[in-house]
């Protein structure tokens, strides 16, 4: 049986995909499979992948004639996979040697639904280590314990999809699908769903994913309507939390996280068109004012305090210049 399926979305990543696949050679086991989904690349990405077939016998490539987006590609890869565990690796990132066998062995030992690991963010020549916000290591934990506290970083603030592995029973439970309508922020509702509905998780204290940031053409750098998809993502999160039997417990975390991301997007609003800026603030205001638990919103805004409180109140009041405080 295949122990691990690595899903590798790849679109126009010719400068990087060779390093990505070479890192898999240094992690290979006969019971691992590697599924590259070429999502309509216009560069040499498919040819570079083909060149690795001899070095990675369990490598195969699916090809989409036109781009479908990261969420759809991940879903496509999972549907084609057979591994007991699944992980993801973007076509411009890489794993440290020996990382994947270590994580699979640890997850087997712990028997958890999913496990998260630390990672390194790479921005040009700079590297920074990002730790899983869970102090207990190598222990099976209730995923709901990873949602709180509301006021500091927790597991739902660590949605890095590639920094971990996921058991196939999550697929069978319908918890692994990404929303194909989301082209940014797609990992946020996915992470919340795992922590609300999976049975167990663990932090494995291994540093192995190297995640590139700030690449030209990355959706995190592009200033178009896709940046507003965080609003759709948090509409889903808030709906999921409101429908949960412990909604009152977890809603402060969801509301605070949305407020923080809305303010962060407001800081970068100059990259958006005037129409998209107006839409972002209008929809953010509508999402917050439509919450049935306005007492939680009010408490959250007061707790955030200072400039953040003043800016949020200006957004709620309909200001088109909420950062001018």
């Amino acid at each position: 049986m295949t122990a691990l399926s690595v899903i590798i979305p790849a679109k126009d990543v010719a400068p990087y995909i060779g390093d990505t696949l070479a890192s898999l050679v240094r992690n290979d086991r006969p019971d691992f499979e590697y599924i590259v989904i070429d999502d309509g690349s216009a560069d040499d990405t498919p040819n570079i992948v083909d060149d690795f077939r001899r070095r990675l016998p369990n490598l195969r490539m699916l090809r989409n004639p036109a781009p479908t987006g990261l969420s759809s590609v991940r879903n496509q890869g999972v549907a084609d996979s057979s591994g007991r565990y699944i992980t993801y690796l973007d076509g411009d990132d890489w794993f440290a040697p020996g990382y994947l066998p270590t994580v699979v062995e640890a997850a087997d030992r712990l028997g958890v639904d999913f496990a998260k690991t630390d990672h390194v963010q790479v921005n040009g020549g700079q590297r920074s280590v990002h730790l899983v916000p869970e102090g207990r290591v190598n222990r099976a934990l209730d995923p709901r314990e990873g949602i709180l506290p509301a006021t500091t970083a927790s597991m739902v603030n660590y949605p890095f999809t590639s920094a971990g592995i996921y058991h196939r029973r999550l697929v069978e439970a319908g918890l692994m699908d990404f929303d194909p309508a989301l082209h940014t922020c797609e990992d946020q509702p996915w992470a919340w769903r795992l922590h609300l509905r999976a049975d167990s998780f663990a932090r494995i204290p291994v540093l192995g994913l190297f995640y590139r940031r700030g690449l030209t053409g990355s959706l995190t750098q592009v200033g178009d309507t896709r940046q507003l998809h965080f609003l759709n993502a948090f509409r889903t999160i808030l709906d999921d939390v409101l429908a949960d039997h412990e909604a009152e417990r977890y809603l402060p975390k969801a509301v605070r996280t949305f407020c923080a991301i809305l303010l962060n997007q407001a800081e970068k609003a100059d990259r958006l068109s005037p129409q998209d800026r107006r839409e972002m603030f209008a929809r953010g205001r509508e999402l917050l004012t439509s919450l049935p638990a306005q007492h939680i919103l009010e408490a959250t805004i007061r707790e955030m305090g200072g400039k953040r409180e003043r800016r949020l109140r200006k957004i709620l009041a309909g200001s088109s210049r909420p950062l001018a405080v």
Side-chain angles (χ1 to χ4, degrees):
M1 178 182 179
T2 303
L4 175 69
S5 300
V6 184
I7 311 301
I8 308 145
K11 180 181 181 295
D12 294 331
V13 287
Y16 311 106
I17 189 66
D19 290 339
T20 300
L21 296 177
S23 80
L24 297 178
V25 173
R26 296 189 288 270
N27 277 273
D28 191 28
R29 273 184 12 184
D31 57 351
F32 288 180
E33 67 175 1
Y34 313 98
I35 305 169
V36 175
I37 304 97
D38 174 60
D39 198 34
S41 291
D43 67 3
D44 206 33
T45 295
N47 294 329
I48 296 172
V49 175
D50 274 334
D51 287 343
F52 270 84
R53 290 183 188 275
R54 281 180 296 179
R55 298 173 65 185
L56 283 171
N58 292 332
L59 170 68
R60 64 181 183 276
M61 180 169 51
L62 311 178
R63 299 197 64 181
N64 297 331
T68 62
L70 182 60
S71 293
S72 293
V73 165
R74 285 175 173 167
N75 294 343
Q76 181 182 1
V78 169
D80 195 70
S81 69
S82 62
R84 184 171 70 257
Y85 293 101
I86 293 164
T87 194
Y88 304 89
L89 182 63
D90 289 349
D92 48 17
D93 300 334
W94 72 95
F95 289 135
Y99 165 78
L100 291 177
T102 298
V103 176
V104 168
E105 290 162 12
D108 272 342
R109 191 165 57 248
L110 294 165
V112 291
D113 285 345
F114 67 99
K116 302 296 284 190
T117 65
D118 307 327
H119 74 281
V120 178
Q121 293 191 7
V122 180
N123 196 333
Q126 298 182 333
R127 298 186 178 189
S128 56
V129 174
H130 291 252
L131 302 179
V132 177
E134 169 55 65
R136 296 165 292 180
V137 301
N138 294 324
R139 288 175 54 186
L141 303 169
D142 182 346
R144 287 178 173 251
E145 294 180 16
I147 297 175
L148 300 177
T151 56
T152 57
S154 70
M155 290 301 301
V156 290
N157 305 124
Y158 191 84
F160 303 98
T161 309
S162 299
I165 64 171
Y166 313 91
H167 199 281
R168 179 158 296 275
R169 56 180 167 259
L170 295 173
V171 179
E172 296 163 355
L175 300 182
M176 288 287 281
D177 285 348
F178 291 86
D179 183 349
L182 295 178
H183 291 273
T184 56
C185 212
E186 73 289 331
D187 50 359
Q188 296 274 354
W190 182 84
W192 271 88
R193 189 167 65 245
L194 288 183
H195 281 278
L196 284 170
R197 296 177 55 190
D199 290 330
S200 59
F201 87 105
R203 176 191 174 187
I204 298 173
V206 178
L207 190 64
L209 168 67
F210 288 78
Y211 170 50
R212 294 187 199 266
R213 298 294 303 271
L215 296 179
T216 302
S218 167
L219 284 180
T220 60
Q221 305 298 310
V222 173
D224 63 23
T225 306
R226 289 171 293 181
Q227 293 301 325
L228 304 189
H229 287 192
F230 80 95
L231 297 159
N232 309 63
F234 272 89
R235 178 72 275 170
T236 297
I237 291 169
L238 290 165
D239 286 346
D240 286 349
V241 173
L242 286 165
D244 190 81
H245 68 281
E246 293 187 288
E248 192 79 9
R249 182 182 183 197
Y250 298 125
L251 194 56
K253 178 67 173 186
V255 170
R256 188 183 181 97
T257 304
F258 174 68
C259 287
I261 289 181
L262 178 59
L263 290 174
N264 179 264
Q265 292 291 332
E267 294 275 3
K268 302 181 288 187
D270 284 348
R271 64 182 174 170
L272 299 174
S273 70
Q275 179 180 346
D276 284 343
R277 284 199 298 272
R278 289 192 296 270
E279 180 181 349
M280 180 177 73
F281 291 126
R283 289 179 58 195
R285 180 168 61 253
E286 188 277 330
L287 193 155
L288 291 172
T289 57
S290 67
L291 287 171
Q294 286 294 299
H295 64 288
I296 290 177
L297 174 62
E298 178 59 30
T300 297
I301 292 174
R302 285 200 310 269
E303 287 169 358
M304 294 182 83
K307 284 186 177 180
R308 293 189 298 173
E309 178 180 0
R310 294 194 294 274
R311 288 170 175 173
L312 284 166
R313 294 198 185 282
K314 292 186 75 172
I315 291 172
L316 290 172
S319 172
S320 60
R321 299 181 67 245
L323 300 189
V325 296

